[in-house]
Amino acid sequence: MKKLQAKLIIPLALLLVCLVYACQKNMLNRPILAQLSPGIVANKTGVESILIGTYSLLDGVGGQGGGIDAAGSNWLFGSVAGGDAYKGSEPSDGGNDALPVGNFTESTGNIYIQSKYQLCFDGVNRANDVLRTIPLAKDMSADDIKRVTGEAKFLRAFYYMELKKMYNMIPYVDETTTDGNQANDKDIWPNIEADLQAGIDNMPALQGQVGRANKWIAEAYLAKAYMFEHKFPQAKAKFDDLIANGVKPTGVKFALNDNMQKNFSPNASQKNGVESVFAAQASVNDNSLGNNGNTGDELNFPYNSGPGACCGWFNPSQSLGNSFKTDVNGLPLFTTYNTGKLVSGKTDPYTGTVDPRIDITMGRPGIPYLDWGNPPASWIRDPTDGVFNPRKNVYSSSEKGTNSSTENYWAANEVTSNNVNLMRWSDVLLMAAEAEVEAGSTDQALIYVNMVRTRAANPVWWVYKGGAYDATKSEYSDKTTPADKYLVKTYPAGAFADKAYARTAIHFERKIELGMEGHRFFDLQRWDQGTGSMADEINAFFAYDVNINSQLTGAKFTKGKNEYYPIPQQQISLSASTGAGKLKQNPGY
């Protein structure tokens, strides 16, 4: 099955598109497609080129604002700001840009805040250009028009969901908009829902190319949108349909991988497996000079001689490490995980049982790190970074030069063929469990959570001592000696009868299953509902982890403000440059 090439696209048509984008500073004040040359783009090939260009921004790289500042993995906005990780590196490295985002001291002119806004609106505008071009392309069949319309509207919804999660009140423009200077005074969830429903109605189940969206992926995102809106009955109905009938664009039914490690393998034979619902595609050593690789995460590697050989960013937090402690029944410690000894503490460390997912989420002292051996202390760039290394975005030593780039790029070893997991099936199951608690059966919620925990208890993918790591299988050859005291078990029957307990269990399961994948901040956001629970959680993280990481000194989450990021001041100023400004800043900024 041919993979959709996300970055290396038909050049001439996209070049014209990009030239138009590059001339526009305000992401909403762009000329309409009529200014492009119809002779080049007004045909099926041209439409498909612009569509592929729209897909190409899923990893957060390319176009306006793209790069590590706007990475599709949301490593900074979702994980660092959510307490999964520290910014990492030295205090001065990114101290004026990345560090304030994680500490909630960012200004409205912060480059990361600006870049994410620009990148996502670039994606919106590319989707709009697809929709504007379709009527001009006379060689497209009715089926082609229907499919491409569905894909473009799905992608537009995806980028708008990212914007909604980040900035809340944002302006809405579609293919019919002629004045890009729109106000951000309306809730755009209804627009997002409509586009996702159009994706369901117009995209086929089978797409023929790995990396494209299909109707079931659109349904997964519509269910996710309902979860953010707290429309639990509607979300449950979509999840029910998706879990019973959903298939990947190749026709394979969605499911959990038995081997969890395969979800994070850069190996072509393991990527896009049954658990991958939607992913930004990545490849290396394909004559793209590194541009097709996962460059959005290029700083997020151990320091010195390990994978990447630079740059020591994105170190998992001590609180996240402690969250993998388990009790005698193999269950999490919801409120007391930070009590007592530190997991992998430098002196007198915790010696109890842990969930084995810890060692797929982070590299720890004394624990084998794929086939690189035990992580040496030199992999930690600065004492403020704690003791853990990122793990889910790396490659094995045996894959260096194959699944890491050897091309002419400033940081070739940091460019990998790891896809960016935008949604995994475990994410779907755990959201479905939430929906069941609120609008269905707590027994069914228990079933979904225990499906995820049963996979966690499967020893095939655990980390072991004394055996070689086989990257072609994503497992260790000798499974005699587990690397730590692993203990994880399912919840017993009836455990979710108390809905408050069920909610706590599901929320915590998302924390340890999806840790370091850019979800935590946005999960806390949608659970908050004005209660202040998000502020409580993040400020508790600061209070505890500042003792490990002094870069957190002065960090504070303010209720009623920091649930969303600020609208970039540059965009507000540009909105006012031709008269009365229509963009309004978020509360508190």
Side-chain angles (χ1 to χ4, degrees):
M1 194 66 66
K2 184 178 179 182
K3 183 179 78 173
L4 176 68
Q5 288 297 323
K7 293 291 176 187
L8 195 62
I9 65 175
I10 299 171
L12 185 56
L14 189 67
L15 176 60
L16 278 178
V17 176
C18 291
L19 286 175
V20 173
Y21 282 86
C23 294
Q24 304 304 313
K25 293 182 180 180
N26 187 334
M27 295 310 297
L28 301 181
N29 281 329
R30 291 240 348 280
I32 61 174
L33 184 69
Q35 295 190 19
L36 296 179
S37 171
I40 293 177
V41 298
N43 50 62
K44 181 179 177 180
T45 298
V47 170
E48 289 283 5
S49 297
I50 305 171
L51 179 63
I52 295 172
T54 311
Y55 276 102
S56 78
L57 299 183
L58 289 171
D59 63 357
V61 179
Q64 289 286 304
I68 60 171
D69 301 349
S73 64
N74 281 326
W75 65 269
L76 177 61
F77 300 115
S79 283
V80 173
D84 279 355
Y86 310 137
K87 182 269 294 177
S89 187
E90 298 168 351
S92 61
D93 187 13
N96 294 326
D97 302 315
L99 184 60
V101 175
N103 286 2
F104 302 99
T105 58
E106 75 275 14
S107 71
T108 59
N110 182 279
I111 186 61
Y112 283 83
I113 301 298
Q114 170 74 12
S115 294
K116 187 72 173 181
Y117 188 96
Q118 287 184 308
L119 184 283
C120 290
F121 265 115
D122 196 346
V124 166
N125 286 325
R126 292 188 184 195
N128 286 338
D129 278 346
V130 173
L131 296 168
R132 293 185 185 115
T133 312
I134 288 173
L136 306 178
K138 304 306 181 184
D139 60 341
M140 294 182 68
S141 69
D143 286 344
D144 286 336
I145 291 172
K146 183 177 181 181
R147 170 184 59 79
V148 172
T149 297
E151 287 185 77
K153 290 190 174 183
F154 165 77
L155 290 169
R156 182 168 67 187
F158 177 90
Y159 293 117
Y160 267 129
M161 280 186 73
E162 287 293 286
L163 287 162
K164 180 67 177 174
K165 287 164 27 182
M166 287 282 298
Y167 309 100
N168 191 25
M169 298 303 290
I170 54 172
Y172 185 82
V173 296
D174 63 17
E175 74 276 18
T176 68
T177 304
T178 56
D179 179 7
N181 193 7
Q182 297 292 312
N184 59 337
D185 58 353
K186 295 180 178 64
D187 183 7
I188 69 164
W189 277 123
N191 307 91
I192 293 171
E193 288 181 22
D195 273 351
L196 292 171
Q197 188 61 54
I200 295 169
D201 295 339
N202 289 283
M203 286 191 290
L206 304 182
Q207 279 283 44
Q209 283 186 315
V210 172
R212 286 190 187 267
N214 71 355
K215 63 176 293 182
W216 295 110
I217 295 171
E219 183 161 71
Y221 274 90
L222 181 54
K224 181 176 180 177
Y226 287 146
M227 294 299 290
F228 271 93
E229 297 180 88
H230 309 120
K231 294 181 177 180
F232 299 114
Q234 295 94 320
K236 173 180 155 39
K238 294 300 180 185
F239 285 129
D240 286 348
D241 186 33
L242 180 65
I243 292 170
N245 304 303
V247 298
K248 295 172 62 63
T250 57
V252 176
K253 189 171 177 57
F254 291 117
L256 293 174
N257 265 321
D258 290 339
N259 183 331
M260 188 176 180
Q261 171 63 44
K262 288 184 177 181
N263 293 310
F264 313 104
S265 170
N267 192 300
S269 67
Q270 298 174 55
K271 298 192 303 182
N272 299 304
V274 294
E275 190 164 344
S276 177
V277 178
F278 196 47
Q281 303 297 304
S283 61
V284 294
N285 305 321
D286 54 5
N287 298 314
S288 68
L289 300 180
N291 290 313
N292 285 344
N294 179 6
T295 57
D297 292 307
E298 66 189 6
L299 301 182
N300 301 337
F301 286 89
Y303 194 53
N304 279 324
S305 59
C310 179
C311 289
W313 288 55
F314 199 38
N315 298 99
S317 69
Q318 185 64 54
S319 282
L320 181 61
N322 291 346
S323 298
F324 290 92
K325 294 177 181 178
T326 58
D327 64 17
V328 293
N329 298 309
L331 299 177
L333 307 178
F334 300 146
T335 59
T336 60
Y337 58 90
N338 273 336
T339 301
K341 299 178 180 180
L342 279 60
V343 169
S344 299
K346 292 182 178 180
T347 59
D348 193 25
Y350 171 79
T351 58
T353 57
V354 293
D355 189 309
R357 286 174 286 188
I358 188 172
D359 291 321
I360 200 172
T361 305
M362 60 188 68
R364 297 194 289 151
I367 304 294
Y369 188 90
L370 302 174
D371 55 356
W372 293 94
N374 295 345
S378 62
W379 280 12
I380 303 295
R381 185 167 181 174
D382 188 274
T384 59
D385 298 336
V387 298
F388 304 125
N389 287 284
R391 172 75 158 67
K392 287 183 174 179
N393 63 300
V394 304
Y395 53 89
S396 68
S397 177
S398 63
E399 295 172 296
K400 185 175 182 179
T402 301
N403 290 320
S404 67
S405 177
T406 60
E407 298 166 283
N408 184 20
Y409 187 80
W410 78 271
N413 287 331
E414 283 78 61
V415 179
T416 77
S417 58
N418 291 70
N419 284 355
V420 179
N421 287 314
L422 302 171
M423 183 182 288
R424 292 197 287 116
W425 192 242
S426 61
D427 183 5
V428 170
L429 291 175
L430 293 176
M431 284 191 291
E434 286 186 58
E436 288 289 345
V437 167
E438 304 302 334
S441 162
T442 57
D443 287 342
Q444 186 60 50
L446 182 67
I447 290 171
Y448 290 148
V449 171
N450 279 344
M451 288 171 67
V452 175
R453 293 185 65 80
T454 296
R455 193 266 300 279
N458 183 356
V460 68
W461 61 266
W462 291 359
V463 177
Y464 292 88
K465 294 182 177 180
Y469 178 77
D470 184 349
T472 66
K473 297 180 179 179
S474 289
E475 60 186 72
Y476 290 82
S477 58
D478 185 340
K479 298 179 175 59
T480 304
T481 307
D484 205 343
K485 297 177 182 176
Y486 297 141
L487 181 64
V488 57
K489 294 184 178 180
T490 57
Y491 288 94
F496 283 9
D498 180 341
K499 284 191 174 183
Y501 179 88
R503 290 187 193 100
T504 299
I506 295 167
H507 292 181
F508 207 88
E509 196 68 25
R510 288 186 64 82
K511 180 181 185 181
I512 55 180
E513 170 68 20
L514 302 171
M516 301 293 286
E517 295 184 53
H519 294 283
R520 187 63 178 170
F521 177 91
F522 303 110
D523 278 346
L524 293 172
Q525 176 195 87
R526 67 184 175 85
W527 296 331
D528 184 90
Q529 301 183 59
T531 64
S533 62
M534 187 178 188
D536 293 343
E537 174 89 12
I538 293 179
N539 285 326
F541 160 72
F542 289 147
Y544 182 86
D545 279 67
V546 71
N547 299 301
I548 306 295
N549 187 343
S550 60
Q551 294 188 54
L552 300 179
T553 300
K556 181 182 179 182
F557 185 102
T558 301
K559 180 181 181 293
K561 172 186 177 181
N562 295 129
E563 290 85 358
Y564 297 99
Y565 296 102
I567 304 295
Q569 182 58 47
Q570 181 189 48
Q571 298 301 315
I572 293 176
S573 299
L574 287 168
S575 172
S577 63
T578 58
K582 294 185 178 181
L583 285 181
K584 304 301 180 185
Q585 186 54 271
N586 283 330
Y589 291 100

mmCIF file with all atom_site columns, all heavy atoms in Angstrom, residues 241-252:
data_model
loop_
_atom_site.group_PDB
_atom_site.id
_atom_site.type_symbol
_atom_site.label_atom_id
_atom_site.label_alt_id
_atom_site.label_comp_id
_atom_site.label_asym_id
_atom_site.label_entity_id
_atom_site.label_seq_id
_atom_site.pdbx_PDB_ins_code
_atom_site.Cartn_x
_atom_site.Cartn_y
_atom_site.Cartn_z
_atom_site.occupancy
_atom_site.B_iso_or_equiv
_atom_site.pdbx_formal_charge
_atom_site.auth_seq_id
_atom_site.auth_comp_id
_atom_site.auth_asym_id
_atom_site.auth_atom_id
_atom_site.pdbx_PDB_model_num
ATOM 1  N N   . ASP A 1 241 ? -20.407 3.254  17.479 1.00 0.00 ? 241 ASP A N   1
ATOM 2  C CA  . ASP A 1 241 ? -20.333 2.922  16.055 1.00 0.00 ? 241 ASP A CA  1
ATOM 3  C C   . ASP A 1 241 ? -18.892 2.669  15.629 1.00 0.00 ? 241 ASP A C   1
ATOM 4  O O   . ASP A 1 241 ? -18.591 1.693  14.921 1.00 0.00 ? 241 ASP A O   1
ATOM 5  C CB  . ASP A 1 241 ? -20.935 4.071  15.241 1.00 0.00 ? 241 ASP A CB  1
ATOM 6  C CG  . ASP A 1 241 ? -21.031 3.761  13.754 1.00 0.00 ? 241 ASP A CG  1
ATOM 7  O OD1 . ASP A 1 241 ? -21.251 2.586  13.388 1.00 0.00 ? 241 ASP A OD1 1
ATOM 8  O OD2 . ASP A 1 241 ? -20.893 4.689  12.941 1.00 0.00 ? 241 ASP A OD2 1
ATOM 9  N N   . LEU A 1 242 ? -17.996 3.523  16.073 1.00 0.00 ? 242 LEU A N   1
ATOM 10 C CA  . LEU A 1 242 ? -16.590 3.412  15.695 1.00 0.00 ? 242 LEU A CA  1
ATOM 11 C C   . LEU A 1 242 ? -15.968 2.124  16.209 1.00 0.00 ? 242 LEU A C   1
ATOM 12 O O   . LEU A 1 242 ? -15.250 1.415  15.479 1.00 0.00 ? 242 LEU A O   1
ATOM 13 C CB  . LEU A 1 242 ? -15.833 4.622  16.247 1.00 0.00 ? 242 LEU A CB  1
ATOM 14 C CG  . LEU A 1 242 ? -14.336 4.724  15.965 1.00 0.00 ? 242 LEU A CG  1
ATOM 15 C CD1 . LEU A 1 242 ? -14.086 4.897  14.472 1.00 0.00 ? 242 LEU A CD1 1
ATOM 16 C CD2 . LEU A 1 242 ? -13.732 5.899  16.740 1.00 0.00 ? 242 LEU A CD2 1
ATOM 17 N N   . ILE A 1 243 ? -16.220 1.798  17.460 1.00 0.00 ? 243 ILE A N   1
ATOM 18 C CA  . ILE A 1 243 ? -15.620 0.598  18.060 1.00 0.00 ? 243 ILE A CA  1
ATOM 19 C C   . ILE A 1 243 ? -16.184 -0.663 17.426 1.00 0.00 ? 243 ILE A C   1
ATOM 20 O O   . ILE A 1 243 ? -15.460 -1.648 17.203 1.00 0.00 ? 243 ILE A O   1
ATOM 21 C CB  . ILE A 1 243 ? -15.824 0.616  19.590 1.00 0.00 ? 243 ILE A CB  1
ATOM 22 C CG1 . ILE A 1 243 ? -14.987 1.750  20.208 1.00 0.00 ? 243 ILE A CG1 1
ATOM 23 C CG2 . ILE A 1 243 ? -15.456 -0.716 20.211 1.00 0.00 ? 243 ILE A CG2 1
ATOM 24 C CD1 . ILE A 1 243 ? -15.288 2.030  21.663 1.00 0.00 ? 243 ILE A CD1 1
ATOM 25 N N   . ALA A 1 244 ? -17.450 -0.637 17.066 1.00 0.00 ? 244 ALA A N   1
ATOM 26 C CA  . ALA A 1 244 ? -18.063 -1.825 16.464 1.00 0.00 ? 244 ALA A CA  1
ATOM 27 C C   . ALA A 1 244 ? -17.675 -1.997 15.002 1.00 0.00 ? 244 ALA A C   1
ATOM 28 O O   . ALA A 1 244 ? -17.477 -3.130 14.535 1.00 0.00 ? 244 ALA A O   1
ATOM 29 C CB  . ALA A 1 244 ? -19.589 -1.737 16.582 1.00 0.00 ? 244 ALA A CB  1
ATOM 30 N N   . ASN A 1 245 ? -17.523 -0.896 14.273 1.00 0.00 ? 245 ASN A N   1
ATOM 31 C CA  . ASN A 1 245 ? -17.428 -1.002 12.815 1.00 0.00 ? 245 ASN A CA  1
ATOM 32 C C   . ASN A 1 245 ? -16.220 -0.329 12.179 1.00 0.00 ? 245 ASN A C   1
ATOM 33 O O   . ASN A 1 245 ? -15.967 -0.537 10.988 1.00 0.00 ? 245 ASN A O   1
ATOM 34 C CB  . ASN A 1 245 ? -18.692 -0.382 12.190 1.00 0.00 ? 245 ASN A CB  1
ATOM 35 C CG  . ASN A 1 245 ? -19.964 -1.009 12.710 1.00 0.00 ? 245 ASN A CG  1
ATOM 36 O OD1 . ASN A 1 245 ? -20.154 -2.217 12.618 1.00 0.00 ? 245 ASN A OD1 1
ATOM 37 N ND2 . ASN A 1 245 ? -20.865 -0.185 13.278 1.00 0.00 ? 245 ASN A ND2 1
ATOM 38 N N   . GLY A 1 246 ? -15.488 0.486  12.928 1.00 0.00 ? 246 GLY A N   1
ATOM 39 C CA  . GLY A 1 246 ? -14.449 1.305  12.328 1.00 0.00 ? 246 GLY A CA  1
ATOM 40 C C   . GLY A 1 246 ? -13.272 0.525  11.774 1.00 0.00 ? 246 GLY A C   1
ATOM 41 O O   . GLY A 1 246 ? -12.804 -0.439 12.380 1.00 0.00 ? 246 GLY A O   1
ATOM 42 N N   . VAL A 1 247 ? -12.796 0.972  10.609 1.00 0.00 ? 247 VAL A N   1
ATOM 43 C CA  . VAL A 1 247 ? -11.626 0.370  9.985  1.00 0.00 ? 247 VAL A CA  1
ATOM 44 C C   . VAL A 1 247 ? -10.664 1.460  9.540  1.00 0.00 ? 247 VAL A C   1
ATOM 45 O O   . VAL A 1 247 ? -11.050 2.609  9.309  1.00 0.00 ? 247 VAL A O   1
ATOM 46 C CB  . VAL A 1 247 ? -11.991 -0.519 8.769  1.00 0.00 ? 247 VAL A CB  1
ATOM 47 C CG1 . VAL A 1 247 ? -12.862 -1.685 9.196  1.00 0.00 ? 247 VAL A CG1 1
ATOM 48 C CG2 . VAL A 1 247 ? -12.683 0.307  7.680  1.00 0.00 ? 247 VAL A CG2 1
ATOM 49 N N   . LYS A 1 248 ? -9.418  1.086  9.397  1.00 0.00 ? 248 LYS A N   1
ATOM 50 C CA  . LYS A 1 248 ? -8.389  1.971  8.887  1.00 0.00 ? 248 LYS A CA  1
ATOM 51 C C   . LYS A 1 248 ? -8.592  2.200  7.381  1.00 0.00 ? 248 LYS A C   1
ATOM 52 O O   . LYS A 1 248 ? -9.356  1.460  6.747  1.00 0.00 ? 248 LYS A O   1
ATOM 53 C CB  . LYS A 1 248 ? -7.017  1.360  9.156  1.00 0.00 ? 248 LYS A CB  1
ATOM 54 C CG  . LYS A 1 248 ? -6.676  1.231  10.639 1.00 0.00 ? 248 LYS A CG  1
ATOM 55 C CD  . LYS A 1 248 ? -5.403  0.448  10.881 1.00 0.00 ? 248 LYS A CD  1
ATOM 56 C CE  . LYS A 1 248 ? -4.208  1.127  10.265 1.00 0.00 ? 248 LYS A CE  1
ATOM 57 N NZ  . LYS A 1 248 ? -3.943  2.471  10.867 1.00 0.00 ? 248 LYS A NZ  1
ATOM 58 N N   . PRO A 1 249 ? -7.933  3.186  6.800  1.00 0.00 ? 249 PRO A N   1
ATOM 59 C CA  . PRO A 1 249 ? -8.066  3.412  5.354  1.00 0.00 ? 249 PRO A CA  1
ATOM 60 C C   . PRO A 1 249 ? -7.688  2.205  4.505  1.00 0.00 ? 249 PRO A C   1
ATOM 61 O O   . PRO A 1 249 ? -8.105  2.103  3.355  1.00 0.00 ? 249 PRO A O   1
ATOM 62 C CB  . PRO A 1 249 ? -7.121  4.586  5.097  1.00 0.00 ? 249 PRO A CB  1
ATOM 63 C CG  . PRO A 1 249 ? -7.077  5.320  6.397  1.00 0.00 ? 249 PRO A CG  1
ATOM 64 C CD  . PRO A 1 249 ? -7.144  4.253  7.447  1.00 0.00 ? 249 PRO A CD  1
ATOM 65 N N   . THR A 1 250 ? -6.941  1.266  5.078  1.00 0.00 ? 250 THR A N   1
ATOM 66 C CA  . THR A 1 250 ? -6.569  0.038  4.369  1.00 0.00 ? 250 THR A CA  1
ATOM 67 C C   . THR A 1 250 ? -7.618  -1.056 4.509  1.00 0.00 ? 250 THR A C   1
ATOM 68 O O   . THR A 1 250 ? -7.477  -2.129 3.916  1.00 0.00 ? 250 THR A O   1
ATOM 69 C CB  . THR A 1 250 ? -5.233  -0.495 4.908  1.00 0.00 ? 250 THR A CB  1
ATOM 70 O OG1 . THR A 1 250 ? -5.358  -0.708 6.326  1.00 0.00 ? 250 THR A OG1 1
ATOM 71 C CG2 . THR A 1 250 ? -4.106  0.494  4.654  1.00 0.00 ? 250 THR A CG2 1
ATOM 72 N N   . GLY A 1 251 ? -8.646  -0.833 5.326  1.00 0.00 ? 251 GLY A N   1
ATOM 73 C CA  . GLY A 1 251 ? -9.691  -1.823 5.543  1.00 0.00 ? 251 GLY A CA  1
ATOM 74 C C   . GLY A 1 251 ? -9.491  -2.680 6.775  1.00 0.00 ? 251 GLY A C   1
ATOM 75 O O   . GLY A 1 251 ? -10.372 -3.473 7.137  1.00 0.00 ? 251 GLY A O   1
ATOM 76 N N   . VAL A 1 252 ? -8.358  -2.543 7.457  1.00 0.00 ? 252 VAL A N   1
ATOM 77 C CA  . VAL A 1 252 ? -8.063  -3.316 8.668  1.00 0.00 ? 252 VAL A CA  1
ATOM 78 C C   . VAL A 1 252 ? -8.806  -2.692 9.849  1.00 0.00 ? 252 VAL A C   1
ATOM 79 O O   . VAL A 1 252 ? -8.821  -1.467 10.006 1.00 0.00 ? 252 VAL A O   1
ATOM 80 C CB  . VAL A 1 252 ? -6.552  -3.343 8.941  1.00 0.00 ? 252 VAL A CB  1
ATOM 81 C CG1 . VAL A 1 252 ? -6.253  -4.063 10.257 1.00 0.00 ? 252 VAL A CG1 1
ATOM 82 C CG2 . VAL A 1 252 ? -5.814  -4.002 7.784  1.00 0.00 ? 252 VAL A CG2 1
#
